Amino acid sequence: SFYKITYEAEYNSGSANNVYYWADGYSLINRANLIIEGVTNAAAEGIITQEEADDYIGQAKFFRGITLFELNKMYSRPYSLDPNALGAIISDTPVNTEEGLEKARATGRSKVSEVYEFVLNDLTEAEKKIKGLHWSDELHVSSDAAIAFKTRVYLHMRDWPNVIAEANKLDGKYALTEAPSGVFDQNLGNGETIFSIEQTGNSNAGVNGALGSQYGRRELVAISPIIWNNAGWLNDDKRRATVDIDALKAENPKYEFDPMSSEGIFVRKSGKVLYTNKYRDYSTLSDKSPLIRYAEVLLNRSEALARTGKLDDALNDLNKVRDRALANPTAQSYKASDLATDKSMVEAIILERRIEFLMEGNRYSDIHRLQKDDLAPIDGIPAKVENGKPIGYDAASGVMPTNLVVKGIPYDDFRFIWPIPNTEEANNPGVKGQQNPGY
């Protein structure tokens, strides 16, 4: 029922999910600003070297940039359709003094285009300043993480040449794991993960936020029949590898599923409902949160190449990701004749993104940026199955019932983007008159 507010677009300016997404986002941004100010002063006073300060500043700017990007995506219209629309609030002054507080209280929303410019500047600064961390250290921000994230930002801007240029910088540094499950079988040190957020048994997102809790132990998020039934997701794709807990219990009533030892298993069937098996630590909740991995960089570049007429190169990147999941790549791999137009190529890439990043938080990002697209258009937020568990998976046919009870929300509907929280309106005169229309 808590998810239902967002799932069915019942939110308003006081809804907890929307209020705290904003509040926590700006709390993180403020912490980044505090770090930047603190280490700048420490370097000026000779407490740390300038090189050390730059490393901290680069990491802080990475987090500030990606957080501002996420906020802009949820509360503002897409860059591609209205770069002059109201975007998020750009905050680059720490709120740790009365003066800083007053500045924050007087700062309104910037244009979407200005937010993107600020985000890209932060990520470019992060790329330049981060010095002391090897690219394979997946739990610390590296310059490579900033580069990878820029491919995502440029994708939203439809700046295809820069998507390609940034992705090219990472050639030879990363490689896809041999098996598609490798990233999750080996949560760290897998060579594909570019940056993850660390979770440990002593420090994690808790029972109400940790991936192993939400997607695993508590079974609060199920796989949607819409993508599961898509004919383009081949039945023998390795990313459909499923353990049937009910069947195993029927054979052995004492059977207990051990997610931590379920290598190669992407999906678990429990009570005729399908759940992801990407996040497996149900007890100590130590699954690292995957922020960006090389598979995304490849698919970002593939799409940019396809949209600039380089179909052969686009196909190469697409097949790198898809082929490792195929039961018989020799026969099932896409051929140039299968995707002979830019439209068919882009549609295949978008489908691949839905499959590859299932339950990794990327779907709405694509919905947002593909509004009224010329090749793979989406109009608003698509219709959904009923909120709750989509019971009725049939193992024999391999499909689930698809009843789109939750109606889609057209792009022009005010609910396509979230409202600015009433707490911001109450505390910040700078946003007076800047609430998103309809709220």
Side-chain angles (χ1 to χ4, degrees), residues 257-301:
F257 177 60
D258 179 11
M260 294 295 283
S261 62
S262 55
E263 186 171 319
I265 300 297
F266 266 92
V267 180
R268 56 190 173 82
K269 174 180 169 291
S270 176
K272 293 190 176 181
V273 184
L274 300 181
Y275 301 96
T276 185
N277 193 49
K278 287 184 174 181
Y279 313 113
R280 304 173 185 175
D281 187 357
Y282 297 0
S283 55
T284 63
L285 309 178
S286 66
D287 288 293
K288 310 304 182 282
S289 303
L291 199 64
I292 197 160
R293 52 192 178 94
Y294 191 53
E296 182 184 343
V297 174
L298 288 174
L299 291 179
N300 290 350
R301 182 170 66 184

Side-chain angles (χ1 to χ4, degrees), residues 420-432:
I420 301 301
N422 53 20
T423 51
E424 187 70 30
E425 292 185 286
N427 292 301
N428 182 6
V431 298
K432 184 178 181 180

Side-chain angles (χ1 to χ4, degrees), residues 292-367:
I292 197 160
R293 52 192 178 94
Y294 191 53
E296 182 184 343
V297 174
L298 288 174
L299 291 179
N300 290 350
R301 182 170 66 184
S302 179
E303 184 175 338
L305 289 165
R307 291 181 183 272
T308 52
K310 302 178 179 68
L311 296 187
D312 289 343
D313 292 334
L315 180 65
N316 182 51
D317 278 345
L318 170 58
N319 277 339
K320 284 179 182 178
V321 177
R322 183 172 180 267
D323 281 2
R324 67 170 174 173
L326 299 179
N328 184 0
T330 302
Q332 296 172 323
S333 181
Y334 284 131
K335 300 175 179 61
S337 57
D338 298 326
L339 307 173
T341 65
D342 54 358
K343 179 176 174 60
S344 61
M345 183 72 73
V346 169
E347 288 175 340
I349 293 165
I350 300 303
L351 174 60
E352 190 62 25
R353 293 175 66 88
R354 292 187 68 180
I355 298 168
E356 178 66 22
F357 305 124
L358 183 68
M359 301 297 179
E360 293 184 51
N362 282 17
R363 174 61 176 152
Y364 183 71
S365 187
D366 283 343
I367 289 173

Side-chain angles (χ1 to χ4, degrees), residues 36 47 64 82 102-103 112 233 266 276 288 291 301-302 316 382 387 396 415:
I36 292 168
I47 297 171
R64 185 174 70 181
D82 193 353
E102 289 307 310
K103 180 179 179 181
V112 167
W233 193 359
F266 266 92
T276 185
K288 310 304 182 282
L291 199 64
R301 182 170 66 184
S302 179
N316 182 51
N387 180 67
R415 294 170 298 167

Side-chain angles (χ1 to χ4, degrees), residues 225-226 229 385 390-394 399-403:
I226 297 172
N229 294 343
V385 298
I391 297 173
Y393 172 68
D394 180 59
V399 301
M400 287 186 276
T402 304
N403 187 7

Side-chain angles (χ1 to χ4, degrees), residues 233-241 322 325-329 332:
W233 193 359
L234 302 182
N235 287 332
D236 55 3
D237 188 306
K238 296 174 184 177
R239 292 166 297 189
R240 295 172 75 96
R322 183 172 180 267
L326 299 179
N328 184 0
Q332 296 172 323

